[in-house]
Amino acid sequence: MAKNENKKELQSVKGMRDMMGDQYYALQGFFEKAQEICEYYGLQPIETPTLEQEDVFLKGVGEGTDIAEKELYSLKTKGRDKLAMRPETTAGIMRAYIEHGMHSKPQPVMFYTYGPVYRHDKPQRGRYRQFWQFGVEILGSTKTISDVMAIHLADLILKESGIKDITLKINSLGDSDSRKEYVKTLTAYYRKHVNKMGATDRQRMKTNPLRILDSKDEKVIEINKEAPQSISSLNTLSKKHFKEVLEHLDQLGIEYEIDHKLVRGLDYYSHTVFEFFTTPDKNEEGEELKPLALGGGGRYDYLAKIMGGKRDVPAVGFAFGVDRIIEATTKEIKPKVKKKPKVYFIQLGQEAKLKSLAIIEELRNAKIPVSHSLSKDGLSQQLAIAEKLGVTQVLIFGHKEALEGSVIVRTMKTRSQKTVAIDKLADYLKKTK
Ligand code: AMP
């Protein structure tokens, strides 16, 4: 290795970031809000490993999809196991459901999950290689109320996270017969236009024709305008299912747009598919930005069998891109642990500094949020920080107070001061505003 290369500073991996400060708190705050809503509706937490057998995703997400074919972070262990970093959370949860025989529990089993996922995609606006997803999975029920519950929860979480302008797009692929019928009709349609299609979309005709509906190729976008719609291939049962879902949404007052091109690329979807988008925004140059998908999901009644399960597990769920929600929200999402300090603690001199931690601990036990900068020395420096924080009171603990066992409580507005014994301090502060 060349000498200079040795000296190169190490950097984080492309598309992966260190989460700190406000960004960290926003992630945590979002999770707390989403968790509170899910717990209220009776869902339980689950966290599956970030690393799984590669097959969980190859089978679960499906071959012929970008996620499984191009974007999977795969690795071989020294024992030659083929593992992969999870690119989404649904397949892992289904693996867990089957592995733990959860079919014998009262159905449906309802989970929420939160954590990082990995996709080797090209980093750009709102697209990272490690990003956070919050997901909900309702397993073991064919009932439309489960589809509606998933959409309702997603809608609630977005609104309570301060996302105001959202568009919910929805479509139905129907059951496996309807889906097969649709793929057949769609393939026949594309076959008529095959000479105008590029290599990627031609390949998709063989592997996953539904994905052609997402094509970015201008010519194919034109072809797609007249493409057959999935709802035209729905059989009676599938039509009934979709109609019921839409009726429930109407009753709940959740607005939606039926989008015939929405099929979601993954193999495992059936019946209801949906996606939440931001309403178009402008960049600094005033150009309109393309709406970003904040989350999406749908029903996946056949995933369990695709993954080698012995029985069908009808299920529905969704996943949010939490990084995008945090970037799109106008609301400051704070976690519970981040409390506005009631008082600022100032210490002056070595004697006081050493006794400070014990006083702060007493205040913590009394649940009084206190801020401090113990490594600072001067009064004016510390007062300036207190002003900036906007606290109403400061505590001044100098050499004399340290010897006497007291603290000066100073009200910022009136500048009035009162000396209070340390053992009475918490009670005194609780009584004052
Ligand atoms: P998907 O299951 O692919 O629809 O992903 C669910 C959500 O995750 C999307 O709606 C996005 O909000 C988010 N997402 C997907 N890919 C990325 C990425 N590379 N970086 C950040 N967020 C992403």
Side-chain angles (χ1 to χ4, degrees), residues 119 126-128 131 133 264 275 293-296 319-321 324:
R119 293 185 193 172
R127 187 174 295 168
Y128 308 102
F131 59 98
Q133 281 197 339
R264 301 198 33 88
E275 212 151 5
L294 296 179
F320 278 138
R324 290 189 188 178

Side-chain angles (χ1 to χ4, degrees), residues 15 17 67 71 87-90 117-134 264-266 268-269 274-277 292-297 318-325 327:
R17 300 152 299 151
I67 295 185
E71 298 170 6
E88 51 93 67
T89 50
T90 305
V117 298
Y118 303 84
R119 293 185 193 172
H120 193 266
D121 203 352
K122 204 167 150 209
Q124 49 183 278
R125 168 182 169 245
R127 187 174 295 168
Y128 308 102
R129 288 181 171 176
Q130 175 182 269
F131 59 98
W132 272 257
Q133 281 197 339
F134 182 90
R264 301 198 33 88
L266 313 187
Y268 56 56
Y269 285 111
F274 56 91
E275 212 151 5
F276 286 89
F277 289 90
L292 269 183
L294 296 179
F318 69 84
F320 278 138
V322 184
D323 309 67
R324 290 189 188 178
I325 292 176
E327 282 159 26

